Amino acid sequence: MATSALLMIPAAVDRFGARVHGVPAHRWNDPTPCTEWSVSDLVNHLIGEHLWAPHILARETIAQVGDRFDGDLTDGDPAKAWDLAAASSLAAFQATDGSGTVHLSFGEVPLAEYAAQMLVDLTIHQWDLARGSGQDETLDPEAVAFSLAYAHANIDTFAGMGIVAPPVPTTSKDPVVQLISLTGRHF
């Protein structure tokens, strides 16, 4: 399962990037389903995640990277900043063989686990970005299936770390609705 995440990351990066480039100029300050983030804040979060990726994949520790990716990373042009971060991240992911471990804020994990987390983050935040900026909310079915299985297996850990809001009950059989609801978002 985690190997497939590594293979799915390039397309997920492209899909998220398409949403970044589709944000209307007047929507950057609009709210997103991530209640503490505007559209710009959400994109800034993903820029930071993807600036971190080459360092994490190079097996650097959090202490080694330090706080260089804190704050506003958009430099006044979120789409351009995203493109630069995404290119760097993709190059690092494509250069790795997917083996070994990496250092994350909560400890050392298999690199494949990190790839899974990045794919899930890209998929869920693609929906958040689309919803917040008024774009097409359609998600890739394969990425949704992967993310939903991953979320089901890890929701207690996510909640315990404060990464997601409590799940929103749903009776829907739609995998997208299930994923969005499971990760604390209202569809």
Side-chain angles (χ1 to χ4, degrees):
M1 180 190 257
T3 300
S4 65
L6 193 58
L7 297 175
M8 288 192 286
I9 284 176
V13 166
D14 288 346
R15 288 188 299 271
F16 186 83
R19 294 303 185 282
V20 171
H21 283 275
V23 174
H26 68 280
R27 303 280 312 247
W28 285 104
N29 291 318
D30 285 4
T32 69
C34 298
T35 58
E36 297 179 9
W37 288 341
S38 68
V39 169
S40 181
D41 295 333
L42 175 69
V43 172
N44 189 67
H45 166 68
L46 268 289
I47 291 168
E49 291 291 319
H50 288 269
L51 288 172
W52 269 93
H55 299 278
I56 289 173
L57 293 169
R59 284 28 180 218
E60 291 179 45
T61 65
I62 302 299
Q64 288 172 312
V65 177
D67 62 1
R68 71 181 91 168
F69 302 126
D70 289 354
D72 182 6
L73 303 168
T74 65
D75 199 27
D77 188 344
K80 181 179 178 183
W82 164 256
D83 290 344
L84 293 171
S88 177
S89 175
L90 279 178
F93 272 111
Q94 291 169 338
T96 186
D97 65 3
S99 65
T101 60
V102 296
H103 305 278
L104 300 180
S105 60
F106 53 87
E108 194 166 316
V109 300
L111 187 145
E113 171 68 15
Y114 174 61
Q117 291 177 11
M118 290 293 278
L119 177 63
V120 172
D121 202 44
L122 281 161
T123 302
I124 293 169
H125 286 319
Q126 177 190 334
W127 184 86
D128 292 331
L129 179 57
R131 173 67 55 110
S133 62
Q135 298 184 64
D136 179 8
E137 297 174 10
T138 304
L139 297 177
D140 177 75
E142 186 179 15
V144 169
F146 181 95
S147 298
L148 184 57
Y150 185 86
H152 273 298
N154 294 283
I155 197 64
D156 291 337
T157 302
F158 292 166
M161 295 172 69
I163 295 174
V164 296
V168 174
T170 184
T171 58
S172 176
K173 301 296 182 205
D174 182 327
V176 173
V177 175
Q178 290 178 6
L179 175 63
I180 297 309
S181 299
L182 184 62
T183 56
R185 291 151 169 85
H186 294 273
F187 198 82

